[in-house]
Amino acid sequence: MAERETTPPTTVWSRPERGARGPAPERSRYEITGAALALADAEGLPAVSMRALAQRLGTGPASLYRYVGSRDELLDLMADAVAGELDLSAAPSGDWLGDLVGLALQSKAAHARHPWLADLNDRRGEVLGPHAIDYLDHALAILAPAPGTSGQKLEAIGLLGGLATLFARREAPASAGAGDPPAQAAHLAAVAAEGRHPHLLAALTTAGPPPVAGPAERDALFERLLRRLLPAMLG
Amino acid sequence: MAERETTPPTTVWSRPERGARGPAPERSRYEITGAALALADAEGLPAVSMRALAQRLGTGPASLYRYVGSRDELLDLMADAVAGELDLSAAPSGDWLGDLVGLALQSKAAHARHPWLADLNDRRGEVLGPHAIDYLDHALAILAPAPGTSGQKLEAIGLLGGLATLFARREAPASAGAGDPPAQAAHLAAVAAEGRHPHLLAALTTAGPPPVAGPAERDALFERLLRRLLPAMLG
DNA sequence: TAATACTGCGAACATCGATCGCAGTATTGG
DNA sequence: CCAATACTGCGATCGATGTTCGCAGTATTA
């Protein structure tokens, strides 16, 4: 008569790490997440296959499913692990804009450390793990003295994360998996030289050496834009 | 003796649509791209598999590779097709900020029409097709009277596209493939209620009904932020 | 007309995420 | 103390994916 057949919990964190009966697991979610992180850092996110990860851990692919319900859950764990890398120890200073910008810079730095994070963050249906929740609460604490409704603040925090991802992606060296930048540039120049795109041609000939700025200037631009954006969202 | 074994062209558009010898192809890149677009609109990007697309076109999967070198190239074609949907007919009015904001709004609207576009746009190593190049030239034409170097303008245009993607994603209804928003919200509330996240708890109880704004207000916020951002980038 | 270079495509391959079911092991209840 | 129970590890396997191979047929070229 019990018709319960749905799958109520659905997130990694709502399921117990292990059962109470059988033998002790030989690994842990933490260990597996760490190995996945190392693999992603070294060879990129696509290289994090269940098989490759299992091999790295010296086990079979099927075994991983004792710890993780699916590869997607593994990605959730990875994302939350990176969220845990952020330093939330500093208490809000009262300068909410400055504090929030600092948080965003930390977030952007995390993206630089883990180039695959951007691809993780724009999956649909993101799930907030414990570290992400800590982050959220911290950001809300920072925003306590700021104007705006709770809804506006939540939106601002979400947007902030998206912006960190966006800027990190734009700052990422094209090296990472990109096809062939010089060839692409040559193709662009060739098309522009056909005469139908005068402004593009002008821009390409003018800006021969691209004005790639150093990390400090990149951060400064990011900060400058945030300091204009955030007040406009919360006013 | 000829050691040429590399693959020089590498983009869909640098390869001829068809050879000069054999029978006339039964389909065209245009037709295939259109079918892929329809499929993606109807069932999402993951549903655009070579097999499903072939079936929709009444052919075998292998045949598609006569028109497209890989699935990735197909995605390039799709992205450029959407770029072709933008209306670039209006000549620059002299109000570069207004014109550029209009372009960004168009771009955001395209994302709303094609929810999968966001996932396309944040692939690495994007390739610019003819429509994308037209777009780029148009944006540069708009920016002609604006201050800033060519490099800054190119960066601003790129950022603009990223922002349109970002905002479109944030405005997308959680419906699209999202797991279970209410359950996630309940989980969040439960965690917050444990007492360790007071600000989160306060925000969740305060903002019971989320202040989802209408499309008009969304666009207005987007425009407001852009009008603050762009001058800051080009000054 | 013969050589050539294409087109369509069935069959197959490698790789992926995921499931099944069995053997072994620790906990539980009587 | 001992079955019943519920777990763990994992080899074998499934279904789906992108992609390649090779062949038969066809239009162009010389």
Side-chain angles (χ1 to χ4, degrees), chain A residues 194-232:
Chain A
E194 285 173 6
R196 259 194 278 276
H197 302 88
H199 300 92
L200 178 56
L201 181 61
L204 290 181
T205 52
T206 305
V212 285
E217 297 145 44
R218 293 292 206 161
D219 276 6
L221 175 62
F222 183 54
E223 177 167 351
R224 195 148 49 93
L225 296 184
L226 287 186
R227 285 186 181 274
R228 297 218 182 193
L229 264 187
L230 291 171

PDB file of all heavy atoms in Angstrom, chain A residues 194-232:
ATOM      1  N   GLU A 194      38.222  42.180 -47.098  1.00  0.00           N
ATOM      2  CA  GLU A 194      37.381  42.112 -48.280  1.00  0.00           C
ATOM      3  C   GLU A 194      36.635  43.419 -48.522  1.00  0.00           C
ATOM      4  O   GLU A 194      36.019  43.603 -49.572  1.00  0.00           O
ATOM      5  CB  GLU A 194      36.385  40.960 -48.153  1.00  0.00           C
ATOM      6  CG  GLU A 194      37.029  39.596 -48.355  1.00  0.00           C
ATOM      7  CD  GLU A 194      36.045  38.470 -48.045  1.00  0.00           C
ATOM      8  OE1 GLU A 194      34.864  38.772 -47.790  1.00  0.00           O
ATOM      9  OE2 GLU A 194      36.475  37.302 -48.052  1.00  0.00           O
ATOM     10  N   GLY A 195      36.618  44.284 -47.538  1.00  0.00           N
ATOM     11  CA  GLY A 195      36.069  45.611 -47.756  1.00  0.00           C
ATOM     12  C   GLY A 195      34.673  45.822 -47.214  1.00  0.00           C
ATOM     13  O   GLY A 195      34.211  46.958 -47.110  1.00  0.00           O
ATOM     14  N   ARG A 196      34.017  44.750 -46.836  1.00  0.00           N
ATOM     15  CA  ARG A 196      32.645  44.929 -46.389  1.00  0.00           C
ATOM     16  C   ARG A 196      32.554  45.266 -44.907  1.00  0.00           C
ATOM     17  O   ARG A 196      31.462  45.523 -44.399  1.00  0.00           O
ATOM     18  CB  ARG A 196      31.832  43.661 -46.678  1.00  0.00           C
ATOM     19  CG  ARG A 196      30.966  43.769 -47.924  1.00  0.00           C
ATOM     20  CD  ARG A 196      29.946  42.663 -47.963  1.00  0.00           C
ATOM     21  NE  ARG A 196      30.499  41.415 -48.488  1.00  0.00           N
ATOM     22  CZ  ARG A 196      30.581  41.146 -49.811  1.00  0.00           C
ATOM     23  NH1 ARG A 196      30.139  42.014 -50.682  1.00  0.00           N
ATOM     24  NH2 ARG A 196      31.092  40.011 -50.225  1.00  0.00           N
ATOM     25  N   HIS A 197      33.674  45.213 -44.214  1.00  0.00           N
ATOM     26  CA  HIS A 197      33.653  45.470 -42.777  1.00  0.00           C
ATOM     27  C   HIS A 197      34.723  46.499 -42.415  1.00  0.00           C
ATOM     28  O   HIS A 197      35.710  46.169 -41.758  1.00  0.00           O
ATOM     29  CB  HIS A 197      33.877  44.171 -42.007  1.00  0.00           C
ATOM     30  CG  HIS A 197      32.872  43.109 -42.326  1.00  0.00           C
ATOM     31  ND1 HIS A 197      33.029  42.224 -43.353  1.00  0.00           N
ATOM     32  CD2 HIS A 197      31.671  42.817 -41.772  1.00  0.00           C
ATOM     33  CE1 HIS A 197      31.975  41.409 -43.408  1.00  0.00           C
ATOM     34  NE2 HIS A 197      31.131  41.760 -42.460  1.00  0.00           N
ATOM     35  N   PRO A 198      34.504  47.730 -42.820  1.00  0.00           N
ATOM     36  CA  PRO A 198      35.546  48.761 -42.660  1.00  0.00           C
ATOM     37  C   PRO A 198      35.932  49.008 -41.204  1.00  0.00           C
ATOM     38  O   PRO A 198      37.125  49.170 -40.903  1.00  0.00           O
ATOM     39  CB  PRO A 198      34.908  50.003 -43.274  1.00  0.00           C
ATOM     40  CG  PRO A 198      33.427  49.747 -43.246  1.00  0.00           C
ATOM     41  CD  PRO A 198      33.267  48.263 -43.400  1.00  0.00           C
ATOM     42  N   HIS A 199      34.959  49.027 -40.321  1.00  0.00           N
ATOM     43  CA  HIS A 199      35.264  49.325 -38.918  1.00  0.00           C
ATOM     44  C   HIS A 199      36.071  48.212 -38.280  1.00  0.00           C
ATOM     45  O   HIS A 199      36.979  48.465 -37.486  1.00  0.00           O
ATOM     46  CB  HIS A 199      33.976  49.569 -38.140  1.00  0.00           C
ATOM     47  CG  HIS A 199      33.177  50.710 -38.676  1.00  0.00           C
ATOM     48  ND1 HIS A 199      32.188  50.530 -39.629  1.00  0.00           N
ATOM     49  CD2 HIS A 199      33.232  52.044 -38.452  1.00  0.00           C
ATOM     50  CE1 HIS A 199      31.656  51.710 -39.927  1.00  0.00           C
ATOM     51  NE2 HIS A 199      32.274  52.653 -39.240  1.00  0.00           N
ATOM     52  N   LEU A 200      35.716  46.987 -38.661  1.00  0.00           N
ATOM     53  CA  LEU A 200      36.480  45.860 -38.141  1.00  0.00           C
ATOM     54  C   LEU A 200      37.922  45.927 -38.635  1.00  0.00           C
ATOM     55  O   LEU A 200      38.876  45.735 -37.870  1.00  0.00           O
ATOM     56  CB  LEU A 200      35.820  44.551 -38.592  1.00  0.00           C
ATOM     57  CG  LEU A 200      36.522  43.260 -38.178  1.00  0.00           C
ATOM     58  CD1 LEU A 200      36.699  43.211 -36.674  1.00  0.00           C
ATOM     59  CD2 LEU A 200      35.751  42.051 -38.665  1.00  0.00           C
ATOM     60  N   LEU A 201      38.068  46.229 -39.915  1.00  0.00           N
ATOM     61  CA  LEU A 201      39.400  46.342 -40.490  1.00  0.00           C
ATOM     62  C   LEU A 201      40.219  47.409 -39.768  1.00  0.00           C
ATOM     63  O   LEU A 201      41.381  47.182 -39.388  1.00  0.00           O
ATOM     64  CB  LEU A 201      39.290  46.682 -41.980  1.00  0.00           C
ATOM     65  CG  LEU A 201      40.616  46.809 -42.740  1.00  0.00           C
ATOM     66  CD1 LEU A 201      41.375  45.494 -42.687  1.00  0.00           C
ATOM     67  CD2 LEU A 201      40.389  47.234 -44.176  1.00  0.00           C
ATOM     68  N   ALA A 202      39.576  48.535 -39.558  1.00  0.00           N
ATOM     69  CA  ALA A 202      40.266  49.628 -38.863  1.00  0.00           C
ATOM     70  C   ALA A 202      40.684  49.199 -37.464  1.00  0.00           C
ATOM     71  O   ALA A 202      41.818  49.446 -37.034  1.00  0.00           O
ATOM     72  CB  ALA A 202      39.352  50.853 -38.799  1.00  0.00           C
ATOM     73  N   ALA A 203      39.787  48.539 -36.789  1.00  0.00           N
ATOM     74  CA  ALA A 203      40.091  48.132 -35.407  1.00  0.00           C
ATOM     75  C   ALA A 203      41.241  47.132 -35.390  1.00  0.00           C
ATOM     76  O   ALA A 203      42.113  47.192 -34.520  1.00  0.00           O
ATOM     77  CB  ALA A 203      38.851  47.530 -34.765  1.00  0.00           C
ATOM     78  N   LEU A 204      41.253  46.233 -36.347  1.00  0.00           N
ATOM     79  CA  LEU A 204      42.288  45.200 -36.353  1.00  0.00           C
ATOM     80  C   LEU A 204      43.652  45.779 -36.700  1.00  0.00           C
ATOM     81  O   LEU A 204      44.672  45.358 -36.163  1.00  0.00           O
ATOM     82  CB  LEU A 204      41.921  44.089 -37.347  1.00  0.00           C
ATOM     83  CG  LEU A 204      40.736  43.224 -36.928  1.00  0.00           C
ATOM     84  CD1 LEU A 204      40.452  42.141 -37.954  1.00  0.00           C
ATOM     85  CD2 LEU A 204      41.013  42.596 -35.563  1.00  0.00           C
ATOM     86  N   THR A 205      43.678  46.732 -37.640  1.00  0.00           N
ATOM     87  CA  THR A 205      44.958  47.307 -38.022  1.00  0.00           C
ATOM     88  C   THR A 205      45.462  48.269 -36.948  1.00  0.00           C
ATOM     89  O   THR A 205      46.665  48.369 -36.715  1.00  0.00           O
ATOM     90  CB  THR A 205      44.841  48.042 -39.364  1.00  0.00           C
ATOM     91  OG1 THR A 205      43.752  48.963 -39.302  1.00  0.00           O
ATOM     92  CG2 THR A 205      44.578  47.052 -40.498  1.00  0.00           C
ATOM     93  N   THR A 206      44.548  48.958 -36.308  1.00  0.00           N
ATOM     94  CA  THR A 206      44.948  49.889 -35.254  1.00  0.00           C
ATOM     95  C   THR A 206      45.526  49.154 -34.064  1.00  0.00           C
ATOM     96  O   THR A 206      46.634  49.439 -33.611  1.00  0.00           O
ATOM     97  CB  THR A 206      43.740  50.711 -34.765  1.00  0.00           C
ATOM     98  OG1 THR A 206      43.146  51.352 -35.879  1.00  0.00           O
ATOM     99  CG2 THR A 206      44.174  51.724 -33.715  1.00  0.00           C
ATOM    100  N   ALA A 207      44.776  48.165 -33.606  1.00  0.00           N
ATOM    101  CA  ALA A 207      45.156  47.495 -32.361  1.00  0.00           C
ATOM    102  C   ALA A 207      45.968  46.251 -32.653  1.00  0.00           C
ATOM    103  O   ALA A 207      45.612  45.158 -32.229  1.00  0.00           O
ATOM    104  CB  ALA A 207      43.911  47.146 -31.552  1.00  0.00           C
ATOM    105  N   GLY A 208      47.033  46.420 -33.374  1.00  0.00           N
ATOM    106  CA  GLY A 208      47.873  45.277 -33.714  1.00  0.00           C
ATOM    107  C   GLY A 208      48.186  44.440 -32.499  1.00  0.00           C
ATOM    108  O   GLY A 208      47.639  43.344 -32.359  1.00  0.00           O
ATOM    109  N   PRO A 209      49.040  44.933 -31.624  1.00  0.00           N
ATOM    110  CA  PRO A 209      49.291  44.182 -30.386  1.00  0.00           C
ATOM    111  C   PRO A 209      48.137  44.413 -29.424  1.00  0.00           C
ATOM    112  O   PRO A 209      47.897  45.550 -29.020  1.00  0.00           O
ATOM    113  CB  PRO A 209      50.584  44.800 -29.853  1.00  0.00           C
ATOM    114  CG  PRO A 209      50.625  46.175 -30.451  1.00  0.00           C
ATOM    115  CD  PRO A 209      49.834  46.140 -31.724  1.00  0.00           C
ATOM    116  N   PRO A 210      47.407  43.366 -29.102  1.00  0.00           N
ATOM    117  CA  PRO A 210      46.264  43.542 -28.205  1.00  0.00           C
ATOM    118  C   PRO A 210      46.723  44.057 -26.849  1.00  0.00           C
ATOM    119  O   PRO A 210      47.763  43.627 -26.341  1.00  0.00           O
ATOM    120  CB  PRO A 210      45.692  42.120 -28.087  1.00  0.00           C
ATOM    121  CG  PRO A 210      46.817  41.220 -28.464  1.00  0.00           C
ATOM    122  CD  PRO A 210      47.636  41.969 -29.460  1.00  0.00           C
ATOM    123  N   PRO A 211      45.975  44.976 -26.293  1.00  0.00           N
ATOM    124  CA  PRO A 211      46.379  45.627 -25.042  1.00  0.00           C
ATOM    125  C   PRO A 211      46.065  44.766 -23.843  1.00  0.00           C
ATOM    126  O   PRO A 211      45.329  45.176 -22.959  1.00  0.00           O
ATOM    127  CB  PRO A 211      45.536  46.897 -25.047  1.00  0.00           C
ATOM    128  CG  PRO A 211      44.275  46.485 -25.765  1.00  0.00           C
ATOM    129  CD  PRO A 211      44.684  45.453 -26.782  1.00  0.00           C
ATOM    130  N   VAL A 212      46.612  43.569 -23.833  1.00  0.00           N
ATOM    131  CA  VAL A 212      46.352  42.689 -22.698  1.00  0.00           C
ATOM    132  C   VAL A 212      46.936  43.298 -21.437  1.00  0.00           C
ATOM    133  O   VAL A 212      48.139  43.522 -21.342  1.00  0.00           O
ATOM    134  CB  VAL A 212      46.958  41.292 -22.932  1.00  0.00           C
ATOM    135  CG1 VAL A 212      46.121  40.519 -23.921  1.00  0.00           C
ATOM    136  CG2 VAL A 212      48.368  41.406 -23.425  1.00  0.00           C
ATOM    137  N   ALA A 213      46.067  43.541 -20.511  1.00  0.00           N
ATOM    138  CA  ALA A 213      46.508  44.181 -19.277  1.00  0.00           C
ATOM    139  C   ALA A 213      46.985  43.128 -18.280  1.00  0.00           C
ATOM    140  O   ALA A 213      46.672  41.947 -18.407  1.00  0.00           O
ATOM    141  CB  ALA A 213      45.360  44.972 -18.673  1.00  0.00           C
ATOM    142  N   GLY A 214      47.755  43.546 -17.315  1.00  0.00           N
ATOM    143  CA  GLY A 214      48.210  42.642 -16.275  1.00  0.00           C
ATOM    144  C   GLY A 214      47.080  42.325 -15.317  1.00  0.00           C
ATOM    145  O   GLY A 214      46.039  42.960 -15.353  1.00  0.00           O
ATOM    146  N   PRO A 215      47.317  41.328 -14.490  1.00  0.00           N
ATOM    147  CA  PRO A 215      46.272  40.893 -13.541  1.00  0.00           C
ATOM    148  C   PRO A 215      45.804  42.033 -12.645  1.00  0.00           C
ATOM    149  O   PRO A 215      44.613  42.139 -12.356  1.00  0.00           O
ATOM    150  CB  PRO A 215      46.982  39.812 -12.723  1.00  0.00           C
ATOM    151  CG  PRO A 215      48.113  39.360 -13.576  1.00  0.00           C
ATOM    152  CD  PRO A 215      48.524  40.542 -14.379  1.00  0.00           C
ATOM    153  N   ALA A 216      46.722  42.865 -12.244  1.00  0.00           N
ATOM    154  CA  ALA A 216      46.353  43.952 -11.336  1.00  0.00           C
ATOM    155  C   ALA A 216      45.367  44.897 -12.008  1.00  0.00           C
ATOM    156  O   ALA A 216      44.351  45.283 -11.423  1.00  0.00           O
ATOM    157  CB  ALA A 216      47.610  44.717 -10.896  1.00  0.00           C
ATOM    158  N   GLU A 217      45.659  45.240 -13.262  1.00  0.00           N
ATOM    159  CA  GLU A 217      44.754  46.161 -13.961  1.00  0.00           C
ATOM    160  C   GLU A 217      43.411  45.492 -14.236  1.00  0.00           C
ATOM    161  O   GLU A 217      42.364  46.140 -14.191  1.00  0.00           O
ATOM    162  CB  GLU A 217      45.390  46.601 -15.277  1.00  0.00           C
ATOM    163  CG  GLU A 217      46.696  47.378 -15.077  1.00  0.00           C
ATOM    164  CD  GLU A 217      47.695  47.092 -16.184  1.00  0.00           C
ATOM    165  OE1 GLU A 217      47.242  47.073 -17.341  1.00  0.00           O
ATOM    166  OE2 GLU A 217      48.885  46.859 -15.888  1.00  0.00           O
ATOM    167  N   ARG A 218      43.462  44.200 -14.517  1.00  0.00           N
ATOM    168  CA  ARG A 218      42.223  43.450 -14.715  1.00  0.00           C
ATOM    169  C   ARG A 218      41.357  43.526 -13.468  1.00  0.00           C
ATOM    170  O   ARG A 218      40.159  43.811 -13.533  1.00  0.00           O
ATOM    171  CB  ARG A 218      42.544  41.988 -15.019  1.00  0.00           C
ATOM    172  CG  ARG A 218      43.244  41.788 -16.345  1.00  0.00           C
ATOM    173  CD  ARG A 218      42.310  42.105 -17.469  1.00  0.00           C
ATOM    174  NE  ARG A 218      42.649  41.400 -18.691  1.00  0.00           N
ATOM    175  CZ  ARG A 218      41.775  41.227 -19.685  1.00  0.00           C
ATOM    176  NH1 ARG A 218      40.537  41.693 -19.557  1.00  0.00           N
ATOM    177  NH2 ARG A 218      42.134  40.611 -20.770  1.00  0.00           N
ATOM    178  N   ASP A 219      41.988  43.256 -12.338  1.00  0.00           N
ATOM    179  CA  ASP A 219      41.249  43.311 -11.087  1.00  0.00           C
ATOM    180  C   ASP A 219      40.709  44.704 -10.830  1.00  0.00           C
ATOM    181  O   ASP A 219      39.593  44.885 -10.338  1.00  0.00           O
ATOM    182  CB  ASP A 219      42.153  42.885  -9.925  1.00  0.00           C
ATOM    183  CG  ASP A 219      42.204  41.370  -9.774  1.00  0.00           C
ATOM    184  OD1 ASP A 219      41.629  40.685 -10.640  1.00  0.00           O
ATOM    185  OD2 ASP A 219      42.808  40.892  -8.808  1.00  0.00           O
ATOM    186  N   ALA A 220      41.505  45.703 -11.194  1.00  0.00           N
ATOM    187  CA  ALA A 220      41.084  47.080 -10.953  1.00  0.00           C
ATOM    188  C   ALA A 220      39.854  47.418 -11.784  1.00  0.00           C
ATOM    189  O   ALA A 220      38.904  48.042 -11.288  1.00  0.00           O
ATOM    190  CB  ALA A 220      42.222  48.048 -11.277  1.00  0.00           C
ATOM    191  N   LEU A 221      39.867  46.986 -13.024  1.00  0.00           N
ATOM    192  CA  LEU A 221      38.703  47.230 -13.877  1.00  0.00           C
ATOM    193  C   LEU A 221      37.472  46.521 -13.318  1.00  0.00           C
ATOM    194  O   LEU A 221      36.386  47.105 -13.225  1.00  0.00           O
ATOM    195  CB  LEU A 221      38.982  46.739 -15.300  1.00  0.00           C
ATOM    196  CG  LEU A 221      37.788  46.826 -16.258  1.00  0.00           C
ATOM    197  CD1 LEU A 221      37.349  48.269 -16.425  1.00  0.00           C
ATOM    198  CD2 LEU A 221      38.109  46.196 -17.606  1.00  0.00           C
ATOM    199  N   PHE A 222      37.662  45.291 -12.945  1.00  0.00           N
ATOM    200  CA  PHE A 222      36.567  44.504 -12.365  1.00  0.00           C
ATOM    201  C   PHE A 222      35.994  45.214 -11.151  1.00  0.00           C
ATOM    202  O   PHE A 222      34.776  45.410 -11.026  1.00  0.00           O
ATOM    203  CB  PHE A 222      37.110  43.124 -11.980  1.00  0.00           C
ATOM    204  CG  PHE A 222      36.087  42.177 -11.433  1.00  0.00           C
ATOM    205  CD1 PHE A 222      34.915  41.893 -12.127  1.00  0.00           C
ATOM    206  CD2 PHE A 222      36.298  41.538 -10.215  1.00  0.00           C
ATOM    207  CE1 PHE A 222      33.976  41.009 -11.624  1.00  0.00           C
ATOM    208  CE2 PHE A 222      35.373  40.646  -9.708  1.00  0.00           C
ATOM    209  CZ  PHE A 222      34.209  40.379 -10.412  1.00  0.00           C
ATOM    210  N   GLU A 223      36.885  45.664 -10.292  1.00  0.00           N
ATOM    211  CA  GLU A 223      36.442  46.342  -9.077  1.00  0.00           C
ATOM    212  C   GLU A 223      35.705  47.632  -9.403  1.00  0.00           C
ATOM    213  O   GLU A 223      34.670  47.948  -8.814  1.00  0.00           O
ATOM    214  CB  GLU A 223      37.660  46.636  -8.194  1.00  0.00           C
ATOM    215  CG  GLU A 223      37.302  47.413  -6.934  1.00  0.00           C
ATOM    216  CD  GLU A 223      38.434  47.438  -5.925  1.00  0.00           C
ATOM    217  OE1 GLU A 223      39.438  46.710  -6.132  1.00  0.00           O
ATOM    218  OE2 GLU A 223      38.326  48.181  -4.938  1.00  0.00           O
ATOM    219  N   ARG A 224      36.240  48.374 -10.362  1.00  0.00           N
ATOM    220  CA  ARG A 224      35.623  49.642 -10.749  1.00  0.00           C
ATOM    221  C   ARG A 224      34.195  49.414 -11.248  1.00  0.00           C
ATOM    222  O   ARG A 224      33.254  50.115 -10.881  1.00  0.00           O
ATOM    223  CB  ARG A 224      36.473  50.283 -11.852  1.00  0.00           C
ATOM    224  CG  ARG A 224      36.211  51.734 -12.125  1.00  0.00           C
ATOM    225  CD  ARG A 224      37.492  52.450 -12.565  1.00  0.00           C
ATOM    226  NE  ARG A 224      38.196  51.726 -13.622  1.00  0.00           N
ATOM    227  CZ  ARG A 224      38.009  51.958 -14.923  1.00  0.00           C
ATOM    228  NH1 ARG A 224      37.155  52.874 -15.310  1.00  0.00           N
ATOM    229  NH2 ARG A 224      38.697  51.295 -15.825  1.00  0.00           N
ATOM    230  N   LEU A 225      34.044  48.390 -12.069  1.00  0.00           N
ATOM    231  CA  LEU A 225      32.717  48.122 -12.614  1.00  0.00           C
ATOM    232  C   LEU A 225      31.749  47.681 -11.512  1.00  0.00           C
ATOM    233  O   LEU A 225      30.595  48.101 -11.484  1.00  0.00           O
ATOM    234  CB  LEU A 225      32.813  47.048 -13.706  1.00  0.00           C
ATOM    235  CG  LEU A 225      33.631  47.464 -14.922  1.00  0.00           C
ATOM    236  CD1 LEU A 225      33.603  46.380 -15.993  1.00  0.00           C
ATOM    237  CD2 LEU A 225      33.104  48.767 -15.500  1.00  0.00           C
ATOM    238  N   LEU A 226      32.255  46.851 -10.606  1.00  0.00           N
ATOM    239  CA  LEU A 226      31.383  46.391  -9.519  1.00  0.00           C
ATOM    240  C   LEU A 226      30.925  47.555  -8.653  1.00  0.00           C
ATOM    241  O   LEU A 226      29.773  47.620  -8.228  1.00  0.00           O
ATOM    242  CB  LEU A 226      32.118  45.364  -8.654  1.00  0.00           C
ATOM    243  CG  LEU A 226      32.324  43.989  -9.278  1.00  0.00           C
ATOM    244  CD1 LEU A 226      32.929  43.033  -8.260  1.00  0.00           C
ATOM    245  CD2 LEU A 226      31.004  43.440  -9.800  1.00  0.00           C
ATOM    246  N   ARG A 227      31.832  48.480  -8.388  1.00  0.00           N
ATOM    247  CA  ARG A 227      31.481  49.611  -7.524  1.00  0.00           C
ATOM    248  C   ARG A 227      30.441  50.506  -8.173  1.00  0.00           C
ATOM    249  O   ARG A 227      29.775  51.288  -7.509  1.00  0.00           O
ATOM    250  CB  ARG A 227      32.737  50.421  -7.182  1.00  0.00           C
ATOM    251  CG  ARG A 227      33.628  49.721  -6.162  1.00  0.00           C
ATOM    252  CD  ARG A 227      34.792  50.607  -5.737  1.00  0.00           C
ATOM    253  NE  ARG A 227      35.650  49.906  -4.779  1.00  0.00           N
ATOM    254  CZ  ARG A 227      35.426  49.881  -3.464  1.00  0.00           C
ATOM    255  NH1 ARG A 227      34.368  50.496  -2.973  1.00  0.00           N
ATOM    256  NH2 ARG A 227      36.256  49.225  -2.668  1.00  0.00           N
ATOM    257  N   ARG A 228      30.329  50.407  -9.485  1.00  0.00           N
ATOM    258  CA  ARG A 228      29.259  51.167 -10.146  1.00  0.00           C
ATOM    259  C   ARG A 228      27.974  50.356 -10.183  1.00  0.00           C
ATOM    260  O   ARG A 228      26.883  50.911 -10.123  1.00  0.00           O
ATOM    261  CB  ARG A 228      29.676  51.489 -11.582  1.00  0.00           C
ATOM    262  CG  ARG A 228      30.890  52.376 -11.666  1.00  0.00           C
ATOM    263  CD  ARG A 228      30.721  53.344 -12.797  1.00  0.00           C
ATOM    264  NE  ARG A 228      31.897  54.176 -12.931  1.00  0.00           N
ATOM    265  CZ  ARG A 228      31.921  55.260 -13.677  1.00  0.00           C
ATOM    266  NH1 ARG A 228      30.832  55.615 -14.355  1.00  0.00           N
ATOM    267  NH2 ARG A 228      33.003  55.982 -13.755  1.00  0.00           N
ATOM    268  N   LEU A 229      28.139  49.034 -10.349  1.00  0.00           N
ATOM    269  CA  LEU A 229      26.969  48.188 -10.543  1.00  0.00           C
ATOM    270  C   LEU A 229      26.156  47.985  -9.271  1.00  0.00           C
ATOM    271  O   LEU A 229      24.934  48.154  -9.263  1.00  0.00           O
ATOM    272  CB  LEU A 229      27.417  46.816 -11.045  1.00  0.00           C
ATOM    273  CG  LEU A 229      27.372  46.591 -12.532  1.00  0.00           C
ATOM    274  CD1 LEU A 229      27.683  45.148 -12.846  1.00  0.00           C
ATOM    275  CD2 LEU A 229      25.969  46.933 -13.023  1.00  0.00           C
ATOM    276  N   LEU A 230      26.838  47.608  -8.220  1.00  0.00           N
ATOM    277  CA  LEU A 230      26.118  47.171  -7.026  1.00  0.00           C
ATOM    278  C   LEU A 230      25.215  48.250  -6.432  1.00  0.00           C
ATOM    279  O   LEU A 230      24.057  47.964  -6.121  1.00  0.00           O
ATOM    280  CB  LEU A 230      27.129  46.658  -5.986  1.00  0.00           C
ATOM    281  CG  LEU A 230      27.787  45.347  -6.413  1.00  0.00           C
ATOM    282  CD1 LEU A 230      28.929  44.966  -5.489  1.00  0.00           C
ATOM    283  CD2 LEU A 230      26.740  44.237  -6.438  1.00  0.00           C
ATOM    284  N   PRO A 231      25.708  49.481  -6.315  1.00  0.00           N
ATOM    285  CA  PRO A 231      24.788  50.509  -5.789  1.00  0.00           C
ATOM    286  C   PRO A 231      23.571  50.684  -6.689  1.00  0.00           C
ATOM    287  O   PRO A 231      22.463  50.934  -6.201  1.00  0.00           O
ATOM    288  CB  PRO A 231      25.655  51.775  -5.775  1.00  0.00           C
ATOM    289  CG  PRO A 231      27.050  51.281  -5.711  1.00  0.00           C
ATOM    290  CD  PRO A 231      27.054  50.012  -6.510  1.00  0.00           C
ATOM    291  N   ALA A 232      23.764  50.501  -7.984  1.00  0.00           N
ATOM    292  CA  ALA A 232      22.639  50.684  -8.904  1.00  0.00           C
ATOM    293  C   ALA A 232      21.608  49.573  -8.744  1.00  0.00           C
ATOM    294  O   ALA A 232      20.447  49.730  -9.107  1.00  0.00           O
ATOM    295  CB  ALA A 232      23.139  50.716 -10.336  1.00  0.00           C
TER     296      ALA A 232
END
